[in-house]
Amino acid sequence: MSGAGSKAEQFEQLRPLLFAIAYRILGSVVEAEDAVQETWLRFEAAQTEPVSTKAFLSAVVTRVSIDILRSARVRREQYVGPWFPEPLVADPYEDPARSAELADSVSMAALLLLERLSPLERAVFVLREVFRFEYDEIASAVGRSEDACRQLASRARRHMDAGRPRFDADRREREELAERFFAALRDGEVDELRDLLAADVEIIGDGGGKAPAFTKGVIGYDRVVRTLEGLMPAIDVVNLGVEPHEVNGQPGAILRDADGRVFGTLALDILDGRIQTIRGVLNPDKLRHLGPVGDAWAINRKVNRARRHSP
């Protein structure tokens, strides 16, 4: 791509790829955007033209992301309750031939599994397994030999394969099941909900200590049914909006208050025609990139009042 247009034009063509790499390494929309911006500043300041603009920018954004991740991991160890990635409602990088694979690689389940890898393992895995970079390019990006990168990739691959999340292959069936789930939740159709949940279904939330969430998880069919059933009257009473939307490449929803402000997202893991896991992100710090953020604590108080007064 070198020589094809101005620096700014070349960069903008590659921006979706750079963000996609950074987000998968970092699990944060805001930090990924920061990494991409820092990559642009370094590219703009470079005195010589790279042989391959794609290879140069990919290497820079990878190095910047590794540095950010190393400092972020300390904060995540001190995080209140479960840590989930910042919800991604649209991946700017597209490859029609690999759309399902790319969507699964950005799922909440996959990103949580990546969290268990070292920053170097994570970066090498993302570049090799997700974006198909050659080992010489990866070696240049992370500052290790090709042999070392092969070993890093092998270790990461074994770990990911051991816990790799499984999803139903037919994405349309997943979307239709999610639509039924959210419609049943809005309409108070408990029997419909019962038909959609797996026996070991789980609800778990990330509030970061800044919003109410199921931090310890609600596990098991009966407990989850009771929990959802208890929320149904409140959804109607306080006019909570449940807007079906893809979240991290999987069926999900954006939750809005009566004024249309975002106060959370839900992402569903679906396997064998049943919902296995419901992950909620309610930490307002992780929602600001989606628009104005509502007060989840105020909504929770309204919901609790509605539940107490429901027949």
Side-chain angles (χ1 to χ4, degrees):
M1 184 175 291
S2 295
S6 68
K7 274 191 171 182
E9 290 171 335
Q10 293 178 59
F11 186 83
E12 288 306 315
Q13 288 178 30
L14 289 165
R15 181 186 288 273
L17 172 63
L18 301 178
F19 175 86
I21 291 171
Y23 179 77
R24 285 165 173 82
I25 293 174
L26 293 165
S28 165
V29 172
V30 173
E31 289 175 348
E33 290 173 345
D34 288 346
V36 172
Q37 179 61 21
E38 176 62 23
T39 300
W40 160 248
L41 294 175
R42 296 188 187 187
F43 182 45
E44 187 181 35
Q47 298 299 310
T48 58
E49 184 176 353
V51 175
S52 166
T53 303
K54 176 183 175 183
F56 174 82
L57 292 177
S58 299
V60 172
V61 82
T62 298
R63 293 190 205 108
V64 171
S65 297
I66 289 172
D67 289 341
I68 294 173
L69 181 60
R70 283 174 172 152
S71 62
R73 286 168 78 91
V74 176
R75 297 194 302 273
R76 292 177 192 179
E77 289 172 0
Q78 301 168 343
Y79 195 79
V80 178
W83 180 93
F84 289 165
E86 287 181 8
L88 182 69
V89 297
D91 189 346
Y93 180 75
E94 297 180 356
D95 181 347
R98 302 178 59 227
S99 58
E101 181 182 352
L102 288 169
D104 287 352
S105 76
V106 83
S107 70
M108 288 276 182
L111 291 175
L112 288 172
L113 200 56
L114 280 170
E115 278 292 301
R116 302 176 188 177
L117 304 180
S118 72
L120 272 180
E121 287 173 338
R122 184 165 181 164
V124 170
F125 182 87
V126 167
L127 292 176
R128 180 62 182 174
E129 300 298 321
V130 180
F131 295 103
R132 310 289 177 82
F133 278 71
E134 298 298 331
Y135 279 109
D136 60 336
E137 298 173 306
I138 298 171
S140 175
V142 302
R144 296 292 189 275
S145 68
E146 289 187 42
D147 284 345
C149 289
R150 291 179 190 277
Q151 292 174 9
L152 286 164
S154 178
R155 285 203 303 269
R157 194 181 305 114
R158 285 198 301 271
H159 182 84
M160 294 296 290
D161 286 346
R164 188 178 297 277
R166 296 170 56 227
F167 305 110
D168 280 349
D170 192 314
R171 297 187 63 81
R172 184 56 202 159
E173 289 182 5
R174 276 190 265 174
E175 291 167 2
E176 289 175 353
L177 189 148
E179 289 170 4
R180 289 171 57 197
F181 172 78
F182 291 121
L185 196 60
R186 286 192 305 264
D187 298 340
E189 297 290 343
V190 179
D191 289 340
E192 172 74 355
L193 273 180
R194 291 179 181 276
D195 290 339
L196 303 176
L197 304 176
D200 56 350
V201 63
E202 177 180 11
I203 302 176
I204 191 165
D206 172 352
K210 300 182 179 182
F214 300 108
T215 56
K216 294 183 179 179
V218 178
I219 304 172
Y221 180 86
D222 290 335
R223 292 185 65 201
V224 169
V225 169
R226 287 196 299 271
T227 298
L228 295 174
E229 187 176 5
L231 290 173
M232 285 176 170
I235 289 174
D236 183 55
V237 168
V238 299
N239 195 25
L240 301 185
V242 182
E243 177 186 308
H245 201 292
E246 185 176 276
V247 177
N248 284 82
Q250 306 303 314
I254 297 174
L255 308 177
R256 299 186 184 275
D257 64 16
D259 297 318
R261 294 173 299 189
V262 177
F263 74 91
T265 63
L266 297 177
L268 309 181
D269 288 354
I270 297 173
L271 181 65
D272 298 331
R274 294 288 186 273
I275 295 170
Q276 305 284 330
T277 309
I278 304 168
R279 292 187 178 89
V281 176
L282 287 90
N283 184 340
D285 294 343
K286 295 186 175 184
L287 301 171
R288 301 190 195 285
H289 64 284
L290 301 178
V293 178
D295 185 343
W297 288 114
I299 292 169
N300 189 59
R301 289 192 293 269
K302 292 179 182 178
V303 167
N304 286 336
R305 284 199 296 270
R307 290 173 68 177
R308 286 197 299 267
H309 293 93
S310 64

